[in-house]
Amino acid sequence: MDTNVKTSITKPVLANGLKFSAAAGKALNLAGSFWFLVAIAGQWIFTYYVMALYGGSTIQGNLEVWGDVLPHGIMEGDPMGNAALAGHLFLAILIMGLGPLQFIPYIRNHARKFHRLNGRMYLLAVVVTSIAGLYMIWTRGTVGGLIMHVGISLDAVLILLFAYLAWRYAVARQIKIHRRWALRLFIVVSGVWFFRVGLMLWILLNKGPVGFDPETFQGPFLSFWTFGQYLVPLAILELYLFTRDKGSAVGRFAMAGALLVLTFAMGIGIFGATMGLWLPRI
Ligand code: HEM
């Protein structure tokens, strides 16, 4: 074939291919940002609840309220456990209130000092909160059985590990790798929030508590979700990162569509948790 004819055919095909690929990248980026915005909104509602309930009752000097909500609130003769709980709740406000700001590119690029300071605070807060959580779980217990204790403890271990890796790569100025570990850290730190959102989505979809006993808080669904609360979002994050960096254009469009569906489901769970768990208590 004449080379001029060949180029006149391949050029538009190539140009269309590039346009399709760029559109796929844009779609995935937009879907990711939308997911993140909905997640932040949901985490800030949870943060507001923690401030209003635990902060409000502390200011009023009415700490008995904690025991109405938690399986173990302020307990007589357990100063260490009480301090761990108070520290855990106070740091939860910082973690969920300020932590997500680390992932907003505009802030990262235009307020570097804030990013570094907030990042150090976030790392310290998640480490202390997780250790306090582990202490409470294994000295006071929580709802559910041993499997739930193990599930949330593994989350704490992953938080400590990912926090170390995110910090290590930030110090080494390996920013690409640092960002990946920071994203993974954000997901495992959000496990306790995913737990509530996922649980309420499940209850709404099934029109009631299915797959677990609401009295003992035990059953196959909770045995799965105590690990799923962080392993499922972590697997989705890995798929997202892989598709974004190495996926085909079709794969990116598919991932963007899947993210939109997941965001919709998460929105329903946030609505359920807000109306069923948080608003009624404050
Ligand atoms: C790092 C992210 C975490 C955040 C932001 C967080 C936040 C919270 C919040 C807001 C509460 C009050 C719950 C409510 O009023 O419904 C709470 C309670 C509690 N958290 Fe965490 N938490 C985190 C991680 C953990 C981990 C990793 C563990 C255990 C290893 C843990 C153990 C507990 C315990 C024992 C309670 C007392 C309530 C209960 O017994 O269920 N938390 N946490």
Side-chain angles (χ1 to χ4, degrees):
M1 199 189 285
D2 181 338
T3 41
N4 283 339
V5 176
K6 228 180 184 177
T7 348
S8 66
I9 294 171
T10 49
K11 243 188 169 176
V13 171
L14 265 179
N16 281 342
L18 283 178
K19 267 189 202 157
F20 186 63
S21 177
K26 231 181 191 171
L28 185 55
N29 204 4
L30 273 177
S33 304
F34 183 55
W35 177 88
F36 183 66
L37 276 181
V38 175
I40 292 195
Q43 295 207 357
W44 282 352
I45 299 173
F46 190 34
T47 311
Y48 173 72
Y49 150 81
V50 177
M51 288 199 298
L53 178 70
Y54 299 105
S57 54
T58 304
I59 291 167
Q60 289 162 5
N62 183 17
L63 297 188
E64 293 94 73
V65 173
W66 295 18
D68 299 341
V69 179
L70 300 170
H72 308 287
I74 296 296
M75 288 165 74
E76 242 176 74
D78 184 15
M80 276 289 280
N82 293 338
L85 177 61
H88 190 81
L89 294 172
F90 171 70
L91 291 175
I93 295 173
L94 289 184
I95 291 169
M96 292 186 300
L98 296 176
L101 300 180
Q102 289 302 96
F103 302 94
I104 298 176
Y106 185 85
I107 297 183
R108 218 170 39 223
N109 297 332
H110 291 85
R112 283 180 175 223
K113 262 194 182 162
F114 172 81
H115 179 76
R116 285 197 188 137
L117 194 72
N118 198 38
R120 286 191 191 112
M121 181 283 297
Y122 185 72
L123 288 178
L124 189 67
V126 298
V127 166
V128 174
T129 306
S130 300
I131 293 171
L134 279 173
Y135 179 80
M136 287 190 288
I137 290 286
W138 295 105
T139 59
R140 303 172 148 206
T142 181
V143 288
L146 179 67
I147 192 141
M148 283 193 73
H149 293 46
V150 173
I152 189 71
S153 297
L154 178 63
D155 188 29
V157 172
L158 290 181
I159 292 172
L160 295 175
L161 179 68
F162 293 0
Y164 167 72
L165 291 166
W167 168 79
R168 213 192 104 163
Y169 286 107
V171 169
R173 295 280 177 273
Q174 299 201 31
I175 300 306
K176 251 186 149 180
I177 311 179
H178 159 68
R179 269 192 207 155
R180 279 181 172 255
W181 285 111
L183 278 172
R184 290 174 184 132
L185 176 63
F186 175 68
I187 293 294
V188 290
V189 164
S190 303
V192 291
W193 177 82
F194 283 125
F195 182 83
R196 287 156 175 83
V197 169
L199 175 65
M200 292 314 284
L201 173 68
W202 175 257
I203 291 175
L204 283 177
L205 288 179
N206 290 292
K207 299 191 178 73
V210 169
F212 71 97
D213 179 346
E215 295 298 318
T216 59
F217 218 57
Q218 291 185 39
F221 172 71
L222 287 179
S223 300
F224 156 72
W225 193 233
T226 193
F227 294 95
Q229 60 179 313
Y230 48 93
L231 292 181
V232 171
L234 209 50
I236 295 168
L237 171 69
E238 291 307 321
L239 199 62
Y240 168 81
L241 291 175
F242 177 83
T243 316
R244 189 194 63 184
D245 298 342
K246 299 196 176 105
S248 64
V250 173
R252 284 187 199 148
F253 270 125
M255 186 73 218
L259 262 187
L260 277 184
V261 174
L262 286 169
T263 307
F264 181 66
M266 189 173 74
I268 297 175
I270 292 171
F271 173 78
T274 305
M275 303 310 284
L277 293 178
W278 302 325
L279 281 190
R281 291 178 182 170
I282 53 178

